[in-house]
Amino acid sequence: NQFGLWASGSAYLEGAINAKTGNIGTWGIGNTAISSSGGIITLDADAKRITISDGSNDRIRLGEVDGGTVYGLKIFDGSGVTDNDILVELGQGGNQIAGWTISTGAITSPSSIITISSDNKRITINDGSNDRIYLGEVDGSTTYGLKIFDGTGTADGDRLVELGSGGVNMIAGWDLKTDKIGKGPVSMSFADES
């Protein structure tokens, strides 16, 4: 018993067509998914996900990305689908691109070595243990400039360089002013020759 529709030209159908399995061109139809030839692209209603594969590994997941209730986008490097294989993740599980974390107020490099913060209005460079460089808003209020620290902390005594709008300009303990350079009791003044 074979049933079908054969037409030598165009065929027009009205109403619903129901099929649990089959093919449309090179796309396969399953109970809950439609996939391209070789399973390269899969639209899966049960998984709540669109998946793009390179033929061996998932490379892109859009929708529910972790097998539970975490929604977003993940792009993998092709070696697997663990957190170590993620190139890009955007959504409920986190926001990162190539290891850089993206939050509401900052973009942070892997291991928090570099932070670009709109909240702090500053770029911070850390040596893995301590902040070493501030560029931008440097004192927690309205002083903008550059501070370089010795690696022991971020107090005034830990500064190697401070340049900026706060009135203090210093390199290696030498104070720099528009008319004078000095360190402790030693200073040089400059007179205006005009």
Side-chain angles (χ1 to χ4, degrees):
N1 293 338
Q2 291 188 3
F3 297 95
L5 174 68
W6 291 267
S8 60
S10 299
Y12 298 93
L13 304 172
E14 285 189 26
I17 298 174
N18 297 307
K20 291 185 178 180
T21 62
N23 292 301
I24 299 174
T26 62
W27 289 75
I29 301 170
N31 281 337
T32 63
I34 298 174
S35 60
S36 67
S37 176
I40 301 298
I41 301 172
T42 303
L43 291 80
D44 191 324
D46 272 356
K48 302 176 190 128
R49 176 186 309 150
I50 298 171
T51 303
I52 300 174
S53 166
D54 62 11
S56 299
N57 293 301
D58 289 355
R59 297 300 296 266
I60 299 173
R61 290 181 178 173
L62 176 64
E64 200 300 303
V65 293
D66 286 333
T69 59
V70 178
Y71 289 85
L73 166 73
K74 283 189 178 183
I75 301 174
F76 300 99
D77 64 9
S79 63
V81 293
T82 68
D83 286 348
N84 291 333
D85 306 318
I86 295 172
L87 296 174
V88 175
E89 179 175 13
L90 301 172
Q92 286 178 298
N95 296 297
Q96 68 171 338
I97 298 174
W100 287 70
T101 302
I102 303 165
S103 65
T104 303
I107 299 173
T108 305
S109 72
S111 304
S112 299
I113 299 298
I114 300 172
T115 301
I116 304 167
S117 174
S118 63
D119 289 343
N120 293 327
K121 301 178 208 119
R122 162 171 74 216
I123 298 171
T124 301
I125 300 176
N126 184 292
D127 65 9
S129 300
N130 294 297
D131 290 346
R132 296 297 299 265
I133 299 174
Y134 290 166
L135 177 62
E137 202 289 298
V138 294
D139 70 356
S141 62
T142 59
T143 302
Y144 289 85
L146 167 71
K147 282 189 179 182
I148 301 175
F149 302 100
D150 63 10
T152 61
T154 57
D156 283 349
D158 304 320
R159 294 172 300 156
L160 298 174
V161 174
E162 180 172 354
L163 302 171
S165 65
V168 176
N169 290 293
M170 180 271 296
I171 298 176
W174 286 82
D175 292 323
L176 307 173
K177 299 189 178 192
T178 55
D179 63 346
K180 181 168 92 170
I181 297 174
K183 181 174 184 176
V186 178
S187 66
M188 293 186 300
S189 296
F190 305 100
D192 187 359
E193 297 289 328
S194 54

